């Protein structure tokens, strides 16, 4: 375990979406997600959350190209209720093909271009969504992270995220990404992400009113850290 979180800017966030290095890095992130089996880490908790519902609204924070949930939708979507999906990102790069793929699976999908804090500051409308995030929460620290966690808790009845685990093993893996052809942006951001990743019960400690929620936070797979918060039913 690496003792303290260190949060630094990730290069991908400063590049224009059409920059070839950004395009390459997003492709690398897709490969890394496949390698570390992110969809499998998200699937079981989402199955549990969605079980029994007839329709559900899901918001994916920092959705990027929107492909992480598409992989899940393809594997699992037919067993899930009718889904209305909102892909939120300050710089979304969701292709028309990805949207068409979701719609072919029967999902209602919308892209929201917004900074997460602006979105959280808007008045909530409709049913409380299930909120998910992959490789997103670790961008934030201190009061911003606390505000993000509390804003999410105020908006949802279930929140699930998968983040880098702040461990020596994950750091060693991120140093090897050049071997599988990841570009310099990805190699830089992977190390920054691991150092900014989570451990132990760090997200649970920020969650408000813990008695009203079931919180599960643990290492997942070899390199990931998973956090799940579900509101207790009355
Ligand atoms: C490492 S990428 C993860 C993308 C995606 N979740 C995945 O699994 O491939 C992080 C994403 O968070 C977005 N992001 C960072 N800060 C944000 C903010 N304050 N509000 C909204 N999106 C943000 C970035 O634009 C980027 O697409």
């Amino acid at each position: 375990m690496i003792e303290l979180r260190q949060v630094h800017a990730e290069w991908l966030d400063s590049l224009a979406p059409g920059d070839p290095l950004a395009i390459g890095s997003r492709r690398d992130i897709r490969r890394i997600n496949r390698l570390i089996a992110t969809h499998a880490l998200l699937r079981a908790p989402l199955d549990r959350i969605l079980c029994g519902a007839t329709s559900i609204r899901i918001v994916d924070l920092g959705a990027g190209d929107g492909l992480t949930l598409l992989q899940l939708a393809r594997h699992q979507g037919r067993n899930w209720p009718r889904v209305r999906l909102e892909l939120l990102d300050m710089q979304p790069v969701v292709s028309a093909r990805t949207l068409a793929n979701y719609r072919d699976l029967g999902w209602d999908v919308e892209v929201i271009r917004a900074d997460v804090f602006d979105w959280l500051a808007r008045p909530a409308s409709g049913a409380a969504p299930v909120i998910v995030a992959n490789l997103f929460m670790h961008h934030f620290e201190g009061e911003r992270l606390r505000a993000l966690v509390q804003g999410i808790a105020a908006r949802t009845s279930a929140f699930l995220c998968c983040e880098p685990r702040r461990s020596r093993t994950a750091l060693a893996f991120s140093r090897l990404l050049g071997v599988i052809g990841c570009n310099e942006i990805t190699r830089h951001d992977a190390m920054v992400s691991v150092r900014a990743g989570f451990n132990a019960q760090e997200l649970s400690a920020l969650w408000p009113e813990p008695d009203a929620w079931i919180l599960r936070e643990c290492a997942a797979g070899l390199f990931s850290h998973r956090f799940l918060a579900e509101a207790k039913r009355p």
Side-chain angles (χ1 to χ4, degrees):
M1 163 165 161
I2 302 167
E3 215 39 59
L4 293 176
R5 290 191 72 215
Q6 290 175 24
V7 179
H8 294 295
E10 295 185 24
W11 286 354
L12 179 59
D13 293 338
S14 65
L15 295 177
D19 186 314
L21 284 172
I23 294 169
S25 185
R26 291 197 191 269
R27 182 203 58 221
D28 293 341
I29 293 172
R30 288 199 288 280
R31 288 164 63 207
I32 294 168
N33 274 331
R34 275 200 299 277
L35 267 177
I36 65 178
T38 299
H39 71 279
L41 304 179
L42 293 172
R43 188 171 57 209
L46 265 180
D47 268 348
R48 254 229 344 271
I49 294 168
L50 302 186
C51 170
T54 51
S55 73
I56 199 91
R57 177 176 162 222
I58 300 179
V59 180
D60 183 1
L61 300 182
D65 56 21
L67 287 170
T68 300
L69 279 193
L70 181 60
Q71 211 185 351
L72 261 175
R74 283 187 168 132
H75 275 87
Q76 211 59 12
R78 300 206 187 280
N79 303 328
W80 285 350
R82 182 168 175 73
V83 178
R84 175 182 159 69
L85 174 64
E86 292 162 43
L87 298 167
L88 182 144
D89 201 291
M90 63 182 185
Q91 219 178 54
V93 285
V94 185
S95 69
R97 186 166 165 206
T98 298
L99 293 176
N101 287 334
Y102 274 116
R103 288 173 185 140
D104 287 348
L105 291 165
W107 288 33
D108 211 355
V109 60
E110 181 191 351
V111 176
I112 301 177
R113 176 185 294 272
D115 182 284
V116 68
F117 293 100
D118 294 338
W119 180 75
L120 287 170
R122 290 179 200 161
S125 62
V130 169
I131 300 183
V132 300
N134 182 52
L135 300 178
F136 177 68
M137 303 297 287
H138 72 276
H139 284 76
F140 308 96
E141 64 177 332
E143 279 314 305
R144 269 169 75 78
L145 179 61
R146 182 179 294 279
L148 177 59
V149 168
Q150 300 203 345
I152 291 170
R155 281 266 172 151
T156 191
S157 54
F159 172 62
L160 170 65
C161 69
C162 210
E163 295 297 320
R165 189 186 319 160
R166 202 173 68 252
S167 71
R168 302 260 163 230
T169 316
L171 197 59
F173 173 72
S174 66
R175 287 201 172 102
L176 292 175
L177 289 177
V179 176
I180 59 164
C182 291
N183 74 17
E184 61 263 46
I185 304 297
T186 314
R187 296 199 303 274
H188 170 271
D189 288 355
M191 301 215 346
V192 167
S193 299
V194 169
R195 292 197 176 100
F198 297 99
N199 255 309
Q201 304 299 301
E202 290 171 343
L203 289 166
S204 304
L206 298 173
W207 198 262
E209 298 182 60
D211 291 347
W213 296 79
I214 301 166
L215 303 179
R216 295 188 181 85
E217 181 166 8
C218 59
L222 282 177
F223 310 114
S224 303
H225 183 82
R226 188 174 58 200
F227 173 70
L228 171 65
E230 283 179 279
K232 287 183 185 164
R233 299 201 177 128

